[in-house]
Amino acid sequence: MEVKSGFKILAVESSCDETSCAVVVDGRVCLSNIVSSQIDIHTRFGGVVPEVASRNHITAIDNVVKQALQVANLTLDDIDAIAVTYGAGLIGSLLVGVSYCKALAYATQKPLIAVNHIYGHIASNYLTYPDLKPPFICLLVSGGHTAIIKVNDYNHHQIIGTTLDDAVGESFDKVARVLGLGYPGGPKVDKLAKIGKDNLTFYKQNDNLGYNFSFSGKKTAIINYIHTLEQRGEQIPTADICASFEKLVVDELVEKSIKACKQYGINKIVLAGGVSANQQLREQLSSTAKAQNIECYLPNLSYCTDNAAMIGSAAYYSYIGGIPLADMTLQPNPSLSL
Ligand code: KG4
Ligand code: ZN
């Protein structure tokens, strides 16, 4: 679909524990990206409590949207379309964003664009790199998903490999929990891994999974390792466990995604999802890609974890790609797949 230049989308993201609203122009320029995180609220429970998350979205969403317009120095009249994440995610959390945006689109009579959260994570790279275009291979690593995706076009994604059990972010969080590091665990493991040594072998990689992944065995191996040390009354080498676990996971993610680039003859690798904030993963993916003459794209840190700007970018490509608009019958889909 042909659209005027300067097409402004107001996007809302509320799939988990971040209430976010952004204004994005032409899918590439972010005018505002307000993220109201509930991390402090959920920390004392050791993880996201879905019912608590939805209640907090309700109280936050109106202010977050108003702030996004204010920072962009715009009013609703300047907005061309409304976009919202409709899956995957927590049903109650999604419901808040979807209901709010349906009402907003109805009241303003603007088009409503429903966005798949995962397409949003991929699109965080369109905001970071204004010239990046498909095709490319995407390594998607979030709290709920882990996949190697062949992005043939903005709206055409092909899964090459996926996790058979836990998502990688989820396994970071679980390892952090058994080490008593608190929630969310990924950034804490990342930080400690920097001062630890990756010299522990608590798991023997026996990989016949092709491009698929399995993380639950690695997590269980660590739990058993910690319990054994505890039973022997030995000290837990927390930082070394973090470094060793991180290495195990990062080696596999990098190796398989670079292999996919080669097999499919694509010389661009793009990282996406919350775990793309992990420093070891960023460094290792870019150095390995460079050594193989593959271009590596890493999302700006502000777009790694959940935010609405990435949803605004994905929405633009859905809109110009002619994907049918949503209407007042739109319902959230907690288990939406790619
Ligand atoms: O993409 P995201 O914000 O939410 C989902 O869509 O799931 O990802 C959140 C996940 C959490 O599991 C969090 O622990 C992980 O991303 N994460 C990290 C880092 N920052 C966030 N994992 C490893 N290293 C990090 N620096
Ligand atoms: Zn996410």
Side-chain angles (χ1 to χ4, degrees):
M1 190 191 294
E2 281 289 309
V3 295
K4 61 167 188 171
S5 147
F7 194 83
K8 296 181 191 66
I9 294 180
L10 181 135
V12 168
E13 154 65 40
S14 71
S15 65
C16 190
D17 60 343
E18 264 97 23
T19 322
S20 180
C21 181
V23 179
V24 175
V25 185
D26 297 336
R28 297 280 175 166
V29 179
C30 175
L31 296 186
S32 62
N33 187 26
I34 308 298
V35 182
S36 165
S37 174
Q38 301 178 16
I39 284 179
D40 292 346
I41 297 165
H42 297 282
T43 300
R44 67 189 135 122
F45 303 112
V48 178
V49 182
E51 181 59 23
V52 174
S54 21
R55 282 165 193 265
N56 280 285
H57 282 306
I58 293 171
T59 50
I61 193 159
D62 202 38
N63 272 333
V64 167
V65 172
K66 284 181 179 140
Q67 265 189 64
L69 283 167
Q70 201 177 26
V71 171
N73 204 14
L74 298 172
T75 68
L76 268 179
D77 289 343
D78 304 309
I79 299 297
D80 297 295
I82 314 285
V84 65
T85 304
Y86 78 110
L90 301 170
I91 181 71
S93 293
L94 290 165
L95 202 49
V96 177
V98 167
S99 309
Y100 187 95
C101 289
K102 273 160 72 171
L104 197 58
Y106 184 77
T108 57
Q109 288 297 296
K110 294 183 195 289
L112 179 63
I113 307 164
V115 177
N116 183 323
H117 183 76
I118 297 305
Y119 287 14
H121 274 301
I122 297 169
S124 62
N125 286 281
Y126 302 141
L127 296 166
T128 308
Y129 302 96
D131 296 326
L132 173 65
K133 290 186 179 67
F136 52 76
I137 297 289
C138 175
L139 172 60
L140 171 81
V141 280
S142 75
H145 294 82
T146 304
I148 297 177
I149 302 165
K150 185 163 169 265
V151 180
N152 296 318
D153 207 341
Y154 291 105
N155 296 301
H156 185 212
H157 304 73
Q158 185 186 338
I159 296 190
I160 293 173
T162 186
T163 179
L164 304 178
D165 40 54
D166 292 350
V168 65
E170 188 183 0
S171 67
F172 267 94
D173 293 337
K174 286 178 177 170
V175 166
R177 187 184 300 182
V178 294
L179 288 169
L181 301 176
Y183 175 83
K188 294 183 170 126
V189 173
D190 186 356
K191 202 168 162 201
L192 277 175
K194 290 192 187 98
I195 53 167
K197 290 192 268 324
D198 56 11
N199 56 0
L200 303 175
T201 43
F202 37 73
Y203 182 85
K204 193 168 173 330
Q205 183 86 335
N206 179 14
D207 201 336
N208 52 7
L209 299 174
Y211 288 116
N212 290 330
F213 301 95
S214 168
F215 297 108
S216 79
K218 298 176 178 82
K219 170 206 71 192
T220 309
I222 289 199
I223 294 172
N224 291 341
Y225 178 76
I226 293 169
H227 286 168
T228 307
L229 290 182
E230 277 170 351
Q231 276 161 4
R232 289 194 202 137
E234 290 177 26
Q235 216 184 344
I236 312 289
T238 305
D240 294 348
I241 292 177
C242 290
S244 304
F245 170 72
E246 192 178 81
K247 180 175 178 354
L248 194 63
V249 167
V250 168
D251 280 355
E252 186 181 355
L253 291 168
V254 170
E255 189 197 312
K256 289 188 179 177
S257 34
I258 297 293
K259 197 170 154 200
C261 287
K262 288 184 162 172
Q263 188 188 328
Y264 289 90
I266 292 178
N267 79 332
K268 285 184 203 167
I269 180 78
V270 169
L271 188 60
V275 184
S276 62
N278 183 272
Q279 202 178 331
Q280 180 63 26
L281 178 58
R282 293 173 80 89
E283 285 172 7
Q284 204 165 313
L285 188 66
S286 60
S287 62
T288 311
K290 195 171 172 201
Q292 306 279 342
N293 283 325
I294 293 169
E295 292 169 26
C296 180
Y297 297 84
L298 308 172
N300 189 306
L301 284 176
S302 60
Y303 299 134
C304 288
T305 44
D306 293 347
N307 67 90
M310 66 184 197
I311 302 303
S313 173
Y316 177 77
Y317 288 101
S318 166
Y319 189 74
I320 63 169
I323 306 293
L325 288 171
D327 59 23
M328 292 306 119
T329 64
L330 178 66
Q331 296 294 335
N333 181 350
S335 49
L336 184 67
S337 55
L338 265 178

